[in-house]
Every structure is written in C-alpha cells, then in structure tokens.
Amino acid sequence: MVSPKIANITVMAENTITKEQIYIVSDPNHFPEKGFDLASQIANAHEKNVCFLYITKGKDDIEKANGSLSLWCSQQQDKLKCSATYHIMEDDDDFTDFMERNEAAAIVFELSEKGMNKECKNALNICRGLRIPYYFIKDNQTPSFKRVLVPIGFLVEEREKGVFCSGMGRIYNSEILLMTANDYGSRAKQNTEAIQALMDKQSLPYQFITAEKDSFKVELEAMKKVEEVNATLLLISASRDYGMDDIIFGPKEQKVITKCTIPVMVINPRKDLYALCT
C-alpha cells in the first residue's frame, strides 16, 4: 500500500479529524517512543492512522506544541502504512465525548517519568466511559502481541474478551493464554468455554493457565505470572463499579498496570449489553 501524504500538520478542526484513528496521548516535550511502537503495530495491522493527541493545560505554549507534534508526524511517517496525524484538544473538552465523536479505534498511554503520563490513575479516570480498548505501556517495555494472557472472571461481560482474543489470534497470530478464576461457582468456567468455542470455530491457538485465586483477585495473580508464562501482553477488564476502597486506594486495574512488567490492554465491562442476562 502506498502511504499518502502527511496529513494534518496543523491543529485540525473537529470536522476534519480522520475517523477510527489509533490515538497516543502525548506530551509535546517527550516523544512517546514505546507508545508509538505499540500504536504503529495496531495501526499497521488494521491500516489506520496514528494520531498524537495532546490535551492542553492552562496557558500552554500551543505554538511550541504544534511544532513538536508536526515534527513527530514527519519523522515517523515512513513507519506507517497510513498517515501520522496530530490533534490538540482543549482541557475542558470531554474526553469520552471527543473519542466517540471521532470514532476512535484505540488509545495508547505511555507511562514515563519523562512525560505527562507518569501514573495511570488519571488515564483510567478519563477512560471510564469508553467502549474501545486502551493500552498502557511503560518506557522500558517492549510491545508485542505474541502471547496474550487473559484472566477470566465470573461476570458475564467477561465473554467480551473473546472478541478481542479471536481478533488478536487472526490479525497478529497471537497465542492466547486463558486463565480461569478458581471460583466455587461455574460462571467463570462457562465464560472461558464461550471464549474457547469462539477460538475453536476459527481454529486459533490457545492454551490454559491454572489460577489459584478467585474472580476478585485473578487479574492480580495474572499480573504476577506474566514472566513465568512468557506473556507479552496482559488483557484485563476495568472494574464495573468503584467501591470506597477503590476510590481511596485505587481500583485493581491501577494496581495491575502499576506493577505489571509487560504492556496492559484494558477493556471496560459493558453490563448494559447484558441487562437481560443478570
């Protein structure tokens, strides 16, 4: 595929933003190298644009931000099948609404002491309303879809992970590692069987990883096992609701992302789709 000319080397008007882009939430003072590597893998596999997204803070130097972001677009264009673009978003614009209006395909956050995203807490908060996957990668991690570890709990919306598992199996030739929570009940096992059936239907590779913890702790257990099972990506669900402990000490996904030694892919549970099943 011939790469088109570099697009949007100025702040783009809302109605000119390309749909279904892979966004990298960026700090103009620090190039997100690992974040771009991950975003470009996703973008090239799906033939989408990569868009550097900067969220302004107060009286930022917009001209300087324009210069940095446009330079990155020109420097990285040859690594993409499609285009490198950028957008500067006002800090009072609603993040979820922006992503929905522009039909974002995925979002990448690079966690780095050098950039604006040093911790994942704020990123998790602004992504709570999204229905697309969002990724966290640290500046010392390597992006790879080779072996994806997938802890599975008892909530019915865990079956949604099957769609992403099959997609990664087909597009990236990923090997999926299914880790069923060790519950007294059978719902986690049934969710795994549903995912397994989808994988079998498409003749995609997977294997089972034994879990000792129940649905409330299986994702934390998976985070500790990533090196043992040679996983390269961890797929988890965000908390359905935040309790008091989550508000005070942070939700379990924050703990997983903070301590995990490999990139983490997060999807939000969609209990609205399963209202008749619960």
Side-chain angles (χ1 to χ4, degrees):
M1 177 178 178
V2 179
S3 297
K5 293 181 179 179
I6 300 171
N8 307 314
I9 306 303
T10 57
V11 181
M12 295 180 292
E14 183 86 358
N15 60 3
T16 66
I17 298 177
T18 305
K19 304 296 184 182
E20 299 185 345
Q21 297 190 110
I22 311 300
Y23 287 87
I24 311 172
V25 179
S26 307
D27 179 348
N29 297 309
H30 169 68
F31 176 69
E33 180 179 358
K34 293 304 178 68
F36 177 78
D37 288 347
L38 175 55
S40 62
Q41 284 188 33
I42 302 169
N44 287 339
H46 296 273
E47 297 193 353
K48 304 293 185 185
N49 289 351
V50 166
C51 180
F52 295 99
L53 177 67
Y54 175 49
I55 305 173
T56 62
K57 294 182 179 179
K59 297 180 179 179
D60 287 349
D61 189 339
I62 301 300
E63 184 177 349
K64 180 180 178 182
N66 265 307
S68 296
L69 298 174
S70 62
L71 178 62
W72 295 350
C73 289
S74 62
Q75 290 176 334
Q76 306 304 321
Q77 179 61 48
D78 61 350
K79 299 177 183 178
L80 299 170
K81 288 184 179 180
C82 295
S83 289
T85 72
Y86 77 90
H87 181 75
I88 298 177
M89 187 176 85
E90 298 292 336
D91 58 358
D92 59 354
D93 194 359
D94 184 87
F95 187 79
T96 299
D97 184 53
F98 173 85
M99 291 298 166
E100 290 180 348
R101 289 196 310 267
N102 295 292
E103 301 175 15
I107 306 170
V108 174
F109 296 89
E110 181 185 288
L111 302 179
S112 171
E113 289 296 324
K114 300 176 183 178
M116 62 185 293
N117 300 310
K118 298 179 182 180
E119 300 178 353
C120 64
K121 183 177 181 179
N122 182 60
L124 288 171
N125 286 335
I126 64 176
C127 289
R128 285 290 290 171
L130 295 176
R131 296 307 183 211
I132 56 173
Y134 44 106
Y135 298 78
F136 293 88
I137 184 169
K138 298 170 186 173
D139 57 7
N140 62 347
Q141 295 175 346
T142 301
S144 172
F145 290 88
K146 184 176 181 180
R147 287 171 63 85
V148 183
L149 180 58
V150 187
I152 303 167
F154 67 82
L155 295 176
V156 68
E157 54 262 34
E158 288 287 274
R159 299 185 182 202
E160 205 172 332
K161 291 178 177 176
V163 176
F164 295 98
C165 290
S166 63
M168 288 186 283
R170 287 183 290 103
I171 296 169
Y172 305 106
N173 295 316
S174 304
E175 183 172 9
I176 305 299
L177 312 177
L178 301 175
M179 185 172 175
T180 309
N182 186 16
D183 294 338
Y184 287 111
S186 62
R187 286 189 291 175
K189 182 179 179 181
Q190 291 172 359
N191 291 340
T192 301
E193 289 173 348
I195 296 173
Q196 180 184 358
L198 182 60
M199 301 292 287
D200 286 340
K201 186 176 181 180
Q202 301 174 71
S203 301
L204 298 172
Y206 62 88
Q207 63 176 274
F208 297 104
I209 303 297
T210 302
E212 297 179 0
K213 302 298 183 181
D214 62 17
S215 289
F216 297 101
K217 295 183 179 179
V218 68
E219 292 181 323
L220 289 166
E221 181 185 5
M223 176 267 295
K224 296 177 181 178
K225 277 195 170 186
V226 294
E227 294 183 3
E228 176 186 335
V229 300
N230 295 317
T232 60
L233 179 70
L234 177 61
L235 168 57
I236 65 171
S237 296
S239 300
R240 178 191 276 186
D241 299 298
Y242 282 177
M244 187 59 68
D245 286 349
D246 297 320
I247 295 172
I248 296 174
F249 301 108
K252 48 94 178 175
E253 57 266 28
Q254 180 178 334
K255 299 168 188 174
V256 170
I257 295 165
T258 299
K259 296 181 179 181
C260 197
T261 56
I262 61 174
V264 178
M265 174 184 175
V266 184
I267 60 173
N268 284 334
R270 298 191 62 175
K271 63 181 179 180
D272 55 303
L273 295 182
Y274 302 95
L276 299 178
C277 305
T278 57

